[in-house]
Structure formats: C-alpha cells, structure tokens
Amino acid sequence: MREVDRRSKIDRRKFLTTAAAAPAAVVAVTTGLSVDGAWADNAQALKPETMKTLARVARDVYPHDHLADQYYIAAVIPWDAKAASDPQVKALIEQGVALLNELALARYKSPYAAVAWEEQRVALLREIEQTEFFGKVRGDLLVSLYNNHDVWPKFGYEGSSAEHGGYINRGFNDIDWLS
Amino acid sequence: MAKFDLNDDGFVVIVGSGAGGGTLGNELAQKGIKVVVLEAGARNEIQDFVNDEWNSFTRLAWKDMRTTSGSWQVARDFPNLPAWIVKSVGGSTVHWAGASLRFEEHEFKIKTAYGDIAGANLLDWPITLAEMEPWYAKAEFKMGTTRTNGIPGLPGNNNFKVMEAGARKLGYKQVHTGRMSINSQPRDGRGSCQQIGFCFQGCKSGAKWSTLYTEIPKGEATGNLEVRPNSIAVRIEHDAAGKVNGVVYIDGEGKTQKQKARVVAVAGNSLESPRLLLNSHSSMFPDGLANSSGQVGRNYMRHMTGSVYAVFEKPVHMYRGTTMAGIIMDEARHDPKRGFAGGYEMETLSLGLPFMVAFLNPGAWGRSFTTAIDGYANMAGMWLVGEDLPQETNRVTLDPVVKDTNGMPVASVHYDDHANDAAMRNHAYRQGAAVYEAVGAIRTFPTPPYPSTHNLGTNRMSEKPRDGVVNKYGQTHDIKNLFVSDGSQFTTSAACNPTLTIVTLAIRQADHIAGAMQKGEI
Ligand SMILES: Cc1cc2nc3c(=O)[nH]c(=O)nc-3n(C[C@H](O)[C@H](O)[C@H](O)COP(=O)(O)OP(=O)(O)OC[C@H]3O[C@@H](n4cnc5c(N)ncnc54)[C@H](O)[C@@H]3O)c2cc1C
Ligand code: SF4
C-alpha cells in the first residue's frame, strides 16, 4: 500500500505566518514554540498567560500526542485578533480563563496551565463544559486545529487530489492485508 | 442561451435547478416548451469546485437560517443546519454521491404491505412499480447508471474492499460497487471516474451525473431554457380564478421581480418547496397554496440514517476513490421479524479529516475522541440509510419569529424519530459493526445522523385530495397549473437513496405537462 509521509515539511516561521494570520509581533517569535514559551508575550488584546492557557486547553480538549505544540498554538492565536476587534469576545475569553484558573486554584492550588496531570485538567474542563466559553473554544478548534492543511498528513489524510489526477493511479484500491 | 421576457405569460416557470427542477426543465425544453428556471444559488461550474470540504461547503451549501425542534439528534447537534443541501445551479446533484436505486414493488404501497403502524401516517403511492418501470429505465439511461444499460460497475476502492470482505464473512449476498450515476467508462460526452474521492464537493472530472453539466446545458442548447441564478422565489401568485400566474423573486441585485407564468413547478427541495407554498398564502388560499388538505409541510421524512466507522490495525485510506461506490443490499427487505417494518441499505462512505472531526461524534472531546481520529488512516466507513415512516407531526412550518434577509419567514423543521426508526437504526448499527468486526476491526463507532441529505415527503402524492398535496403526476390537487417536481412529492421514503426516483418522476411529469399543455388543459 502507498502510505502517507507524516513528517513535517515546514519551517516554523512560515507555518505561523500562513496558518495563523497572527499579528506580526506574535509570529516574529521563531523559537521556543512550546506552550510555555515566549510566543504569547506580544499578544495585543489578550494577556500572554491567557493565550498560554488557551493553548493548554486546546491540547487537553483534543490531545494528539503526535502533534507538536505549534499546531495548538496556531489554532488559538486567532483569538487574540478576534478579541482585539470585539470586546465581547475579549471578555468571554478572559473571564472563561479566569474561571478555569479559579477552579484550578481551589482544587489544586495552581493555575490551570500548571496543573500537573491531564486527567486533573480534564476534570476541570468537564466542570465548565456547558459554558459558552468552552463551547466557543471547542467549536472553533474543530476547524482551527483540524482544518489546518499542515496537520492533515499527520493523520494520514492527503487532501486535495484532483490536481494529482485523483487516486486512479495512486492507490485507490491498493489494500493488501485483507484475507 | 435564451433570455426570456418577464411579462411573457407563456412559459413554464420552475423554482430550483436540482434533480427535479433541472431534469424537468431540460425535458420540457427538448419538447419545444419554453422554460424559465429560477435558482436561488449562483452558477458554480466544474472549474469552481475545490477538493476541500469546508471551503466547498461554504461556496455551495445552503447556509441560510433554518430552525429545528423535535427529538431527533440533529436538532441538538446542528440546531440551525437541519439539512445538508446545495444552493447553487444544479442543486444537491452537485453534492450528491450518485447512488441510484429503484424502489422495491412493496415500497410503493407500504400501507398495504405493513398494515397500520401506530403514530405513522402511512399511505400507498398512487402509482405502482410496474407503471414506473419504463420511466426508471429512461432515467437510468439519462444518468448513465452503472449496472444498467450494459454499463459496467465501478471498480471497488479500499473502503469497499473492507466492507465487502466483512459482508461475505457475515454471509451477505447482495454486495457490489453499487448502481452509481458515475461514468465507469466515457459516456454522454463526459469522461470516466478518476477516483478523486471528493464526490460530495462537486466532481471535478464530470464523471458523476449532475444537472449542472448535463440537463441544464442540454436544455439551454435548445434555445428553450433560461436558468436565472441568484434568483430567490419568495411568492407564487394567482389570478381571480385561482390559477397561478407568476412567481415573485428577488434577483442578484436585491430587486424584486415578477416572472409571469403559464405553469409553475416547485422544485426547491423538501424544506424550501413547502415553505414557498405556505408563504404564498392569499385571501383566497389563507393556509398557503395547494393546502386544502392541510398536508403541505407535513409528513417530512429524512430517512433512518447513521454511520458506522471502524478502525483497523492497518491502513485503509478510505477517502481514496469514489465516496459511495459500495453497497450491501441484504437488509433492504421488509422482514418484521427483525423488530421493525421496512429495511435499510449499507453503503460505503468516507469523510475527509475536517468533516470526520465534525461528524464522528458531534460535541465529543478528550481522548476517547482523539484516539479515534488518530486512527483516521486506518478507518473504513459505511452509511446506513433506511425507510423512515411518515408522521403528520414531522413537518416544515414557517418560523413564527425568524426571518431571512428578504424578510421571509425561515423554514422550521420538526422531526421526532418514530420507534420503528430507532429500532431499525439500532439493528443497522449492530450489523454495520459486525461487518467490520468480521475482518478484524479494533474499534467501531456508531455515528449519529448528519444534517439531512435526503429530504422528502412535505408535499406528498395521494390518490385522494384529502390525503396529500399532489396527484400521481405531481400536479397539485387544488390548482391544476401548479406542480411539485422534487423529492417533496414522495408519499413514503423507501429504503434506497431518492434521486433516481426524483429524476424518474420529473421525466414522467414533463410528459404529462407537455400533453396537458397541448390539449389546452393548462
Ligand atoms: C452530500 C450529499 C450526498 C448525496 N448522495 C446521494 C446519493 O448518493 N444518491 C441519492 O439518490 N441522493 C443523494 N443525495 C440527495 C440528492 O442530492 C437529493 O435527493 C436531490 O438532489 C434532491 O433533488 P431536489 O430536486 O428535491 O432538490 P435539490 O437538488 O436540492 O435542488 C433544489 C434547488 O432549489 C433551489 N431553491 C430552493 N428554494 C428556492 C427558491 N425559493 N427560489 C429559487 N431556488 C430555490 C436550491 O438552491 C437548489 O439548487 C445526496 C445529497 C447530499 C447533500
Ligand atoms: S471519485 Fe469519481 S465521481 Fe467522485 S468526484 Fe472523483 S471522479 Fe468524480
């Protein structure tokens, strides 16, 4: 069978500019692309800690251990611009993150992003599952995370095929393990 | 291409250019009858299609507001998207997968075959399979349906091979790559399927039949057909004698226009057609046009549906190749011993990653969900589609509050699953999972219904005017020059996909309209 190459073929600078359409100050950061890194320091409307918490929430909601943090970061960065242009969005996100931190401090004596175990963070998310904040963030991730064309190969999905002549000569019937 | 005058009252005016409207338009044009087709959507051609699920959806789908209620899960998961249908020239034949099956004989008379079922509003069609057969043959020839007219079946893709192997292990016998209106060899000026795998996003090779590039250009070539894109019909008008005489529509510039008409045929799909009839109420017809029975908008059917996806140890790449060329037909029979009336088909189905995450288990998150998605490349999938029963209370009404940008009340869609639908769905989930488990599935996923792609029954055919809206030719019982030409005519839904029957009825209706016009009856 013809398998899909799942390795990344992109550099991080290009990735952030194209995938996230983020403010220049944010994308200028090319190193340290982990949730805890400096990438959020230049956020314009949302607090850097809020951005980092969102990225942590993103991974906790849709955890894929084969996806690097950069994909989750790219998926949440657009919230900064949305918050900059709409005060209601800004309030929704800041208040949602504040609530999450409040619950985390009460239960684990630590802000959400620093709670050690995924199960513990997920338990907190379950508590706010019915809030508008969670609904909006989760719904947005379905598109902002999974509709990023750069993540498709990581799931073995090949995307657009017409320009390659379809699959008629590229493995539409190449399954070889059925007995 | 013809350009017709708004004030000429000699035309047949058709609302909608999809399976029903596009076919009727061409058939009439071929007979020398002048036709204007009003189409709400834009004219997107093959070169405009993109192999990208969300991008394509944004360009082609009907996204205008609709509201929902009822116990069906779609109302919870997709409250403002009850249906997944197209707003573009060609209608939902741009999106459709091509599965083209005839009804079984008993499916035209289920009231007789099943007896009375509590809570259901069963009715026999006023036509039989024997009457439909010659027209089915014409439709299959027109659409180039595989496994008819000597046209070979499509080759099976990986997704089909997995389903087929499991089906054989379970002892299913009627398993093949389907009767598909997709060219398996060049035909009718169109090439053969390139196994592109984006059948739902508009076929870039043109191998799949769609009114967009078959019926409509053929009709236009006669000089008798004009398609007006970006033209939203808002009201059908009538004269003092109660005959319809024109259609008011909003054009692409937002201006209100009126096209005069000798005959009007409504083919806006089963949510919009009753909406238009209801919205055309007048002092003479206070409950809407053709609604003396009170049945306009009622008996809404959307098929018993669901999907089963399964993850295997090794790759499948189900998205490669034709989306729906694979079927198990053994469960389509009527066999009440299974605990429900009617039957269902199992058809291969694949979604790309973007739609898979949206539809596999709407609302789900966390590791149970993401480990399923991690298995995407190793997934196989099938769609379950079966007969649902008409219920009078499942209906399309005008929303009392919400209006569209033209100030017209939006369609409000109410649907409760009948106990029969639920029993059938559970049976289908079990059988679907068993098919995949027979060939080593590691996990299977009973996936809930998507927004409705099959929308039926809201202007149903009936022998007696009190039981339905139209007669056996789709002519409304109340107004003889007003016709319904889409899936809303269906008296009952049958197990199979509806479009072959919609096209068949449109060809037959064209014959009837032409005859009646010639005789001066309309
Ligand atoms: C993803 C998908 C896959 C499918 N696969 C299959 C399959 O494999 N086999 C099968 O049999 N069926 C399939 N279907 C269903 C099939 O597409 C429909 O049954 C069929 O197209 C319905 O025909 P119709 O004429 O009733 O409506 P449509 O084809 O939907 O056409 C209605 C048209 O009317 C227009 N319209 C509506 N209201 C107005 C108005 N007020 N003014 C002007 N225009 C208006 C709409 O914009 C639309 O273009 C599929 C559908 C989808 C969405
Ligand atoms: S798989 Fe075949 S029918 Fe489907 S889009 Fe591709 S070429 Fe068209």
Side-chain angles (χ1 to χ4, degrees):
Chain A
M1 291 185 81
R2 186 174 64 76
E3 301 250 7
V4 180
D5 184 355
R6 299 185 183 215
R7 287 168 303 182
S8 289
K9 293 176 210 70
I10 40 166
D11 70 64
R12 286 192 284 213
R13 176 191 292 271
K14 177 167 158 286
F15 172 82
L16 274 184
T17 30
T18 54
V26 178
V27 298
V29 183
T30 55
T31 53
L33 275 181
S34 73
V35 166
D36 313 317
W39 61 273
D41 289 352
N42 293 318
Q44 300 187 329
L46 297 171
K47 294 181 205 147
E49 288 316 306
T50 299
M51 294 298 288
K52 289 185 196 176
T53 307
L54 279 178
R56 174 65 75 194
V57 167
R59 183 181 280 289
D60 290 338
V61 170
Y62 292 123
H64 294 285
D65 298 340
H66 58 91
L67 288 188
D69 278 350
Q70 65 186 59
Y71 300 102
Y72 293 98
I73 292 170
V76 300
I77 277 180
W79 281 114
D80 186 42
K82 280 185 246 174
S85 65
D86 184 341
Q88 278 182 330
V89 171
K90 184 174 171 182
L92 180 84
I93 298 294
E94 290 292 4
Q95 286 166 16
V97 167
L99 171 66
L100 206 46
N101 281 330
E102 208 176 290
L103 293 171
L105 283 166
R107 179 124 24 123
Y108 303 112
K109 307 210 173 0
S110 127
Y112 178 86
V115 172
W117 284 91
E118 180 183 315
E119 285 91 328
Q120 296 174 323
R121 294 190 304 272
V122 165
L124 297 170
L125 291 175
R126 291 277 169 215
E127 281 185 47
I128 64 154
E129 198 177 355
Q130 301 306 326
T131 62
E132 189 191 354
F133 164 72
F134 184 85
K136 286 258 162 67
V137 169
R138 190 198 64 76
D140 184 76
L141 277 172
L142 268 186
V143 180
S144 62
L145 177 64
Y146 294 109
N147 205 34
N148 177 344
H149 295 205
D150 295 320
V151 315
W152 291 353
K154 307 210 156 282
F155 291 89
Y157 178 55
E158 295 172 82
S160 182
S161 93
E163 69 275 30
H164 307 297
Y167 290 104
I168 193 156
N169 298 314
R170 292 193 311 133
F172 80 100
N173 61 355
D174 65 355
I175 197 160
D176 55 9
W177 52 264
L178 284 166
S179 51
Chain B
M1 263 186 248
K3 252 334 219 154
F4 294 134
D5 192 280
L6 288 171
N7 289 313
D8 191 325
D9 61 2
F11 309 140
V12 175
V13 176
I14 301 175
V15 178
S17 62
T23 304
L24 177 67
N26 179 33
E27 289 286 316
L28 291 172
Q30 298 296 333
K31 294 176 200 294
I33 294 168
K34 296 215 169 0
V35 181
V36 174
V37 175
L38 301 175
E39 168 54 54
R43 189 151 185 159
N44 294 291
E45 301 283 0
I46 288 180
Q47 63 270 19
D48 304 318
F49 297 160
V50 287
N51 281 184
D52 180 326
E53 290 175 314
W54 282 121
N55 188 347
S56 169
F57 183 87
T58 309
R59 295 169 186 223
L60 300 174
W62 185 287
K63 298 180 301 298
D64 304 10
M65 180 58 120
R66 287 168 173 147
T67 57
T68 51
S69 59
S71 69
W72 59 328
Q73 198 176 327
V74 169
R76 193 202 79 189
D77 294 342
F78 310 100
N80 299 119
L81 191 73
W84 173 8
I85 43 186
V86 174
K87 180 181 181 183
S88 190
V89 174
S92 305
T93 68
V94 174
H95 264 5
W96 83 311
S100 304
L101 302 164
R102 295 185 182 194
F103 278 36
E104 302 282 330
E105 189 175 3
H106 74 268
E107 288 175 324
F108 283 106
K109 44 181 186 201
I110 65 167
K111 188 179 172 72
T112 308
Y114 304 169
D116 277 326
I117 296 179
N121 189 20
L122 302 192
L123 188 68
D124 290 349
W125 287 63
I127 29 176
T128 62
L129 178 63
E131 278 174 83
M132 286 285 278
E133 267 166 352
W135 302 99
Y136 267 136
K138 283 183 207 280
E140 287 161 347
F141 183 79
K142 175 194 281 295
M143 300 163 84
T145 308
T146 58
R147 295 191 163 80
T148 74
N149 296 287
I151 303 169
L154 287 160
N157 67 355
N158 291 341
N159 199 24
F160 170 70
K161 287 180 173 183
V162 174
M163 186 174 90
E164 182 192 33
R168 301 270 178 231
K169 290 213 166 134
L170 283 195
Y172 283 138
K173 299 279 183 287
Q174 298 174 67
V175 187
H176 53 71
T177 58
R179 292 171 180 257
M180 303 296 294
S181 295
I182 294 178
N183 280 349
S184 57
Q185 54 195 25
R187 187 176 181 280
D188 198 25
R190 294 178 289 118
S192 62
C193 173
Q194 300 302 302
Q195 302 289 338
I196 296 170
F198 284 86
C199 306
F200 285 177
Q201 282 66 43
C203 175
K204 287 213 62 96
S205 83
K208 181 185 81 176
W209 180 85
S210 168
T211 55
L212 174 65
Y213 41 80
T214 60
E215 306 310 303
I216 289 167
K218 285 181 187 183
E220 285 172 334
T222 66
N224 296 325
L225 174 71
E226 183 194 344
V227 176
R228 274 182 218 153
N230 305 310
S231 302
I232 305 168
V234 292
R235 198 179 158 76
I236 300 169
E237 299 204 321
H238 62 80
D239 62 18
K243 277 173 60 181
V244 294
N245 61 7
V247 180
V248 177
Y249 67 96
I250 313 291
D251 71 13
E253 267 106 62
K255 288 206 212 70
T256 302
Q257 306 281 3
K258 179 176 170 181
Q259 175 62 57
K260 289 193 175 166
R262 176 168 167 189
V263 172
V264 174
V266 181
N269 205 318
S270 293
L271 304 187
E272 295 307 312
S273 289
R275 176 184 176 217
L276 181 58
L277 294 179
L278 293 171
N279 198 56
S280 301
H281 57 80
S282 63
S283 52
M284 187 183 256
F285 300 112
D287 300 322
L289 295 186
N291 198 18
S292 66
S293 62
Q295 294 289 310
V296 170
R298 291 188 186 271
N299 310 302
Y300 170 61
M301 294 171 287
R302 45 105 46 218
H303 271 145
M304 180 296 296
T305 66
S307 308
V308 176
Y309 292 94
V311 170
F312 294 84
E313 207 185 322
K314 296 197 177 138
V316 177
H317 300 297
M318 64 174 170
Y319 56 84
R320 291 182 187 166
T322 327
T323 306
M324 200 171 263
I327 192 165
I328 304 171
M329 303 183 73
D330 297 67
E331 299 286 0
R333 68 194 193 279
H334 169 58
D335 173 8
K337 285 201 295 293
R338 290 173 299 178
F340 52 88
Y344 61 90
E345 315 276 1
M346 303 155 105
E347 301 173 348
T348 56
L349 180 71
S350 70
L351 298 175
L353 185 77
F355 275 12
M356 184 57 76
V357 296
F359 290 138
L360 179 69
N361 188 6
W365 57 277
R367 288 216 177 243
S368 163
F369 177 78
T370 53
T371 51
I373 298 302
D374 285 337
Y376 178 76
N378 296 13
M379 248 184 216
M382 68 167 76
W383 197 49
L384 309 163
V385 54
E387 184 166 38
D388 62 341
L389 301 179
Q391 301 178 65
E392 236 186 352
T393 47
N394 285 349
R395 63 189 292 204
V396 174
T397 51
L398 299 178
D399 193 288
V401 182
V402 186
K403 294 193 165 64
D404 70 11
T405 47
N406 298 316
M408 179 172 167
V410 305
S412 175
V413 187
H414 180 91
Y415 189 94
D416 297 313
D417 280 323
H418 190 278
N420 197 76
D421 308 339
M424 187 191 290
R425 183 177 291 115
N426 286 334
H427 189 273
Y429 278 149
R430 276 198 304 278
Q431 292 309 110
V435 164
Y436 290 135
E437 280 156 7
V439 279
I442 294 165
R443 275 170 84 184
T444 60
F445 309 100
T447 293
Y450 313 130
S452 312
T453 56
H454 298 175
N455 297 276
L456 306 164
T458 48
N459 294 301
R460 75 175 179 179
M461 259 191 202
S462 64
E463 177 85 60
K464 300 195 185 87
R466 64 157 197 262
D467 294 329
V469 179
V470 299
N471 70 14
K472 65 196 286 188
Y473 296 108
Q475 186 172 27
T476 62
H477 289 302
D478 296 353
I479 302 174
K480 66 183 178 180
N481 66 339
L482 175 62
F483 288 76
V484 174
S485 316
D486 59 15
S488 67
Q489 299 171 82
F490 280 36
T491 310
T492 54
S493 69
C496 64
N497 318 56
T499 306
L500 178 70
T501 303
I502 295 173
V503 172
T504 300
L505 290 171
I507 300 172
R508 184 168 165 276
Q509 182 180 71
D511 212 55
H512 177 79
I513 291 178
M517 284 175 80
Q518 208 166 28
K519 285 183 238 148
E521 290 167 8
I522 54 176

